[in-house]
Amino acid sequence: MLGFTGREARLAGRVREMEEQNQLLRRQLSISQSHLVAAMRTSNNTPTQNFLQPTHDHSGHCPNVEADVPKCEVVHVAIVCAGYNSSRSVVTLIKSILFYSKNPLHFHLIADSVAQVILQTLFYTWSVPQAEVSFYLADNVVPDVSWIPNKHYSGVYGLMKLTLPKVLPDTLRKAIVLDTDVTFATDIAELWSIFSKLGPKQAIGLVENQSDWYLGKLWKKHRPWPALGRGYNTGVILLQLQRLRELGWGQLWRLIAEKDLITMLATSLADQDIFNAIIKQHPYLVYNLPCQWNVQLSDNTRSELCYTEVTDLKVIHWNSPKKLKVKNKHVEFFRNLYLTFLEYDGNLLRRELFGCNNTKVSLKERELSKLNEEDPCYEFRRAHVNSLRTHLYFLDYEYEPSADGYDVTLVAQLSMDRLQMVEALCKHWEGPISLTLYMSDAEAQQFLSYALGSEVLGGRKNIGYHVVYKEGSFYPVNFLRNVGLQQVNTPYVFLTDIDFLPMYGLYSYLKKSIQILNLDASRKALVVPAFETQRYRIIFPKSKAELLNMLDMGTLFTFRYHVWTKGHAPTNYGKWRTATTPYKVQWEPDFEPYIVVRKDIPEYDTRFVGFGWNKVSHIMELEAQGFEFVVLPNGFIVHMPHAPSFDIAKFRSSSQYRKCLKILKNEFVKDLGKRYSKVFDMELE
């Protein structure tokens, strides 16, 4: 095409796709803001107070016109993030920042142990060019603020911003501090440039509070903390860290908090109350930021008095526990802006549009550079080295393994078209589950709505949901399995697929079998025999006797007996029919049973993507390590029918696909032989 090589054409295609996505998003944001401005112009509500209107500095210039930030100056952003919900919110915030940003960024994340695990994995796999991330364990400074009684829904972490001059490195002189529930609608460098406007004593840049909260007028006997005028909102802060350290900030805020707590007893708005009490006593510390840098959408907001006059909105703040369900007559416009970033493909934000010579070459980039793009199997090899963006524990997870030491977690993976099978699985398996979901950003939000609205899933906190975001042209089945396997916290795993339903009581049966067969002290893989039905509705067998009857009646079949007998033939279904005790079977080529093993087994080989040999290769490596395969006589799983996957269709329709799979098989067998000094005498089809 136009004289491009294959590599250049693919690169041009990716750039074009990214530009089209970005143009579409900018168009959506522009339309949303235009609607909002039009609605406000037709409103009869004209501002009668000037507390939210943009102020002019002493030189007569509007402070909304910021000076440019040097191209390669790093913008430092500090965010406190704790728990599962907050970890999801911070991703949307960071997407909005990355979308507009033209400067290098350094995110400083003060996170609890839960959020740190989630966000470290997310940023590592996201690999955003010219965005550095540093983590600080919030638990280390919890004692600094946990003594403060706090009624705010954010809990102790809502007070954590008070400790930032202590937590952040002494070498860091200033930072923009953000709540996780804000969304940017402009380049954050514009906000960073306002630091240059702070006076010699000003150390805190804040937007005035856009409700009557600190005026004490919201209800009878409402007694807020002391504040200067309307007070200030701390969702967006410019923090001159060095100046605060020189002022003895740690002692300053503690003394004022202790004094006011004598009469106030507790904070209602967490750190915001204490910041306002400090500013009341030391007003010289504060710099008034223009209102559009923190448009607040709480229930009692009067923020429209800001955006009636200021059409150039900068930051939207959902500062209410109701978040997007807040009562505000213009909430739909703001909601659309937020949802656009929520569902925006985060992979498109990996672009590097500016060069500042500080980009680190990722492991993925190094591996990709070694590939030959003219190789007919290039797309397979590229998929093998892809670093897929991964969000662990997308929903709340709480589970402690049973004390007996025999606990087992079911591990499976799925895409959006298999989502309906999760509820059925949960009805059959009461134990812990580790599920990896392969989805787009938009699909992940659909899944979230589905899971939060499900009575079956809503009652389960022992399911770890891990989202891997879509990228590339293959379903990365073994990568997904590895993600699920890595997050297991029980000593044993049951490795299965989402389209199988376990027999009722299988969880308890497996725990007993693990104990009886002494799995901890031996290299054994327990085989759970697999069956299938071709009917979408069946009465599920409640026992082995019922299952055998259904086999005889032709309602059930041994799994894949008619299309791929090699996969499960070694299970020896004939022997299983009458077996009452576990029995050992020999590994054979192409054997791919569903097994129970210790969790510290080798991971799946990620060169196998899409359809073909993904489980076979894993079982083969266990054989190379000397594992015994022992069939359980009273356990079973049943495969439920569904439409074929897209990858199966590609395998069946493409001779090149099948050819590349054969090449990968041969390479795997050779690699395995070298690794374990073992010769596998087998025919590769």
Side-chain angles (χ1 to χ4, degrees):
M1 183 179 68
L2 299 177
F4 285 175
T5 65
R7 178 178 182 178
E8 290 168 339
R10 278 191 288 270
L11 179 60
R14 291 181 198 127
V15 171
R16 186 171 61 252
E17 178 189 0
M18 183 189 74
E19 289 174 345
E20 288 171 355
Q21 289 277 351
N22 287 348
Q23 287 171 7
L24 177 62
L25 177 55
R26 287 195 171 93
R27 196 155 55 243
Q28 289 172 327
L29 296 177
S30 176
I31 291 169
S32 179
Q33 193 173 64
S34 298
H35 285 172
L36 178 58
V37 172
M40 290 308 303
R41 283 174 179 165
T42 59
S43 172
N44 292 324
N45 295 329
T46 55
T48 56
Q49 301 183 45
N50 62 7
F51 70 96
L52 288 174
Q53 295 183 28
T55 57
H56 291 71
D57 62 22
H58 54 74
S59 65
H61 295 106
C62 178
N64 187 30
V65 182
E66 283 82 33
D68 287 339
V69 175
K71 174 185 173 184
C72 291
E73 183 173 335
V74 179
V75 175
H76 292 269
V77 182
I79 306 169
V80 176
C81 184
Y84 301 97
N85 293 339
S86 186
S87 299
R88 288 199 307 274
S89 300
V90 79
V91 175
T92 308
L93 161 61
I94 287 171
K95 278 186 190 178
S96 70
I97 294 173
L98 291 174
F99 180 80
Y100 293 106
S101 184
K102 298 182 182 67
N103 280 72
L105 296 160
H106 191 145
F107 294 102
H108 300 267
L109 298 178
I110 299 85
D112 68 346
S113 54
V114 166
Q116 188 158 323
V117 167
I118 295 169
L119 295 174
Q120 278 182 333
T121 302
L122 179 69
F123 276 100
Y124 177 75
T125 55
W126 199 345
S127 301
V128 178
Q130 296 187 245
E132 290 287 326
V133 187
S134 297
F135 287 91
Y136 311 85
L137 190 59
D139 301 358
N140 293 337
V141 285
V142 163
D144 288 30
V145 292
S146 58
W147 58 274
I148 303 171
N150 178 28
K151 297 177 182 176
H152 194 255
Y153 62 86
S154 60
V156 69
Y157 297 100
L159 296 158
M160 202 67 67
K161 281 181 280 187
L162 294 164
T163 69
L164 290 181
K166 173 183 175 180
V167 173
L168 297 175
D170 290 342
T171 52
L172 186 60
R173 302 179 65 85
K174 59 185 179 181
I176 296 171
V177 184
L178 303 172
D179 280 356
T180 60
D181 54 2
V182 303
T183 308
F184 270 73
T186 193
D187 189 343
I188 195 171
E190 293 179 35
L191 180 57
W192 183 258
S193 70
I194 299 179
F195 270 114
S196 64
K197 299 179 181 294
L198 271 62
K201 292 186 177 180
Q202 291 172 324
I204 308 170
L206 292 166
V207 171
E208 274 191 309
N209 202 46
Q210 294 170 5
S211 80
D212 291 339
W213 178 273
Y214 286 108
L215 298 179
K217 297 179 179 180
L218 294 184
W219 59 81
K220 195 175 181 180
K221 295 184 179 179
H222 174 220
R223 200 163 66 94
W225 274 59
L228 188 66
R230 308 193 65 85
Y232 294 89
N233 183 280
T234 56
V236 177
I237 314 175
L238 296 185
L239 218 54
Q240 281 281 15
L241 297 163
Q242 187 59 31
R243 288 180 193 172
L244 291 176
R245 293 179 187 120
E246 291 167 358
L247 285 168
W249 172 255
Q251 185 178 18
L252 176 67
W253 75 257
R254 178 179 283 269
L255 288 173
I256 291 175
E258 287 173 346
K259 176 176 173 291
D260 284 313
L261 280 168
I262 295 171
T263 53
M264 301 307 301
L265 304 180
T267 59
S268 295
L269 301 181
D271 66 80
Q272 184 168 301
D273 285 338
I274 297 175
F275 269 104
N276 275 288
I278 294 166
I279 291 167
K280 175 75 172 177
Q281 289 194 34
H282 304 280
Y284 61 88
L285 287 175
V286 72
Y287 174 88
N288 279 36
L289 285 173
C291 62
Q292 69 267 37
W293 283 109
N294 186 350
V295 177
Q296 301 147 38
L297 299 178
S298 59
D299 274 341
N300 300 300
T301 186
R302 304 182 69 182
S303 58
E304 65 186 82
L305 299 179
C306 173
Y307 53 78
T308 296
E309 294 296 314
V310 183
T311 57
D312 189 17
L313 300 176
K314 305 289 189 182
V315 177
I316 311 303
H317 186 189
W318 302 91
N319 61 321
S320 163
K322 298 178 184 177
K323 300 306 175 192
L324 270 64
K325 295 180 181 178
V326 70
K327 293 177 183 177
N328 180 298
K329 62 184 177 181
H330 303 113
V331 73
E332 273 305 302
F333 301 109
F334 296 117
R335 188 172 174 272
N336 288 339
L337 182 145
Y338 174 81
L339 292 177
T340 300
F341 284 118
L342 186 73
E343 299 183 356
Y344 186 70
D345 183 355
N347 294 321
L348 298 174
L349 297 169
R350 286 172 168 163
R351 75 220 191 284
E352 184 176 353
L353 301 182
F354 46 87
C356 293
N357 300 320
N358 62 348
T359 303
K360 296 178 181 176
V361 178
S362 68
L363 177 62
K364 173 186 172 181
E365 289 169 327
R366 284 198 296 271
E367 292 298 316
L368 283 175
S369 67
K370 298 176 185 177
L371 300 181
N372 175 14
E373 293 207 20
E374 304 307 319
D375 181 349
C377 300
Y378 170 77
E379 291 300 332
F380 284 86
R381 302 194 187 283
R382 179 182 174 84
H384 176 40
V385 300
N386 256 352
S387 173
L388 299 173
R389 190 164 43 107
T390 303
H391 190 136
L392 303 176
Y393 300 103
F394 202 68
L395 290 171
D396 291 3
Y397 178 77
E398 291 177 25
Y399 185 74
E400 285 295 327
S402 58
D404 57 22
Y406 305 115
D407 212 346
V408 56
T409 298
L410 185 151
V411 179
Q413 36 68 41
L414 67 150
S415 52
M416 195 68 176
D417 59 342
R418 303 283 190 265
L419 188 56
Q420 74 280 2
M421 297 177 173
V422 177
E423 281 194 349
L425 173 64
C426 290
K427 291 176 181 176
H428 282 249
W429 177 273
E430 66 272 26
I433 302 174
S434 183
L435 284 183
T436 311
L437 305 100
Y438 189 58
M439 297 177 169
S440 66
D441 292 73
E443 286 174 340
Q445 297 311 310
Q446 294 173 35
F447 158 70
L448 181 63
S449 298
Y450 166 78
L452 295 179
S454 166
E455 292 181 8
V456 174
L457 304 185
R460 296 283 293 267
K461 297 297 182 188
N462 63 346
I463 305 174
Y465 298 100
H466 315 297
V467 174
V468 173
Y469 290 99
K470 283 183 177 178
E471 185 182 7
S473 54
F474 294 102
Y475 183 74
V477 57
N478 279 356
F479 181 93
L480 302 178
R481 287 178 172 137
N482 287 340
V483 169
L485 187 58
Q486 289 159 4
Q487 299 310 312
V488 167
N489 65 349
T490 59
Y492 302 96
V493 289
F494 173 34
L495 304 174
T496 183
D497 283 330
I498 194 65
D499 41 13
F500 281 89
L501 290 181
M503 74 173 197
Y504 292 108
L506 183 62
Y507 173 57
S508 299
Y509 175 63
L510 293 184
K511 289 179 69 176
K512 290 176 184 175
S513 300
I514 289 167
Q515 181 179 9
I516 292 168
L517 293 169
N518 194 21
L519 220 59
D520 184 48
S522 58
R523 288 197 167 191
K524 289 177 183 172
L526 308 185
V527 176
V528 181
F531 300 85
E532 69 176 344
T533 178
Q534 294 172 359
R535 302 181 183 183
Y536 281 86
R537 290 188 178 183
I538 63 164
I539 298 173
F540 197 88
K542 294 183 176 61
S543 64
K544 180 176 179 178
E546 284 189 20
L547 180 135
L548 291 174
N549 185 51
M550 293 173 76
L551 277 173
D552 294 336
M553 296 292 290
T555 311
L556 291 180
F557 306 92
T558 56
F559 185 54
R560 292 290 184 258
Y561 81 101
H562 57 303
V563 292
W564 183 244
T565 52
K566 289 182 177 181
H568 294 266
T571 301
N572 194 345
Y573 288 101
K575 183 171 183 176
W576 185 83
R577 292 182 70 101
T578 57
T580 56
T581 57
Y583 59 93
K584 182 181 174 183
V585 296
Q586 293 298 318
W587 173 85
E588 295 176 17
D590 297 315
F591 190 29
E592 51 176 0
Y594 295 95
I595 58 172
V596 178
V597 285
R598 295 196 309 259
K599 76 168 182 181
D600 60 349
I601 55 167
E603 292 187 347
Y604 290 83
D605 195 298
T606 56
R607 83 184 79 195
F608 295 105
V609 293
F611 178 78
W613 248 58
N614 44 74
K615 286 195 300 293
V616 171
S617 57
H618 191 240
I619 296 298
M620 192 172 175
E621 182 156 4
L622 295 186
E623 161 67 13
Q625 287 200 347
F627 272 74
E628 293 181 354
F629 297 94
V630 179
V631 181
L632 296 175
N634 295 308
F636 60 84
I637 54 177
V638 178
H639 181 266
M640 307 306 290
H642 55 74
S645 70
F646 183 49
D647 288 277
I648 290 178
K650 286 194 290 186
F651 172 82
R652 291 172 178 168
S653 64
S654 170
S655 60
Q656 185 60 44
Y657 192 116
R658 296 190 294 274
K659 182 180 178 181
C660 287
L661 180 58
K662 184 176 180 180
I663 291 171
L664 294 176
K665 288 179 184 179
N666 280 296
E667 290 174 355
F668 170 78
V669 172
K670 288 178 182 176
D671 291 346
L672 196 66
K674 289 178 183 176
R675 212 157 54 237
Y676 294 101
S677 301
K678 188 178 176 83
V679 177
F680 289 92
D681 184 19
M682 55 191 297
E683 292 276 335
L684 290 176
E685 295 181 1

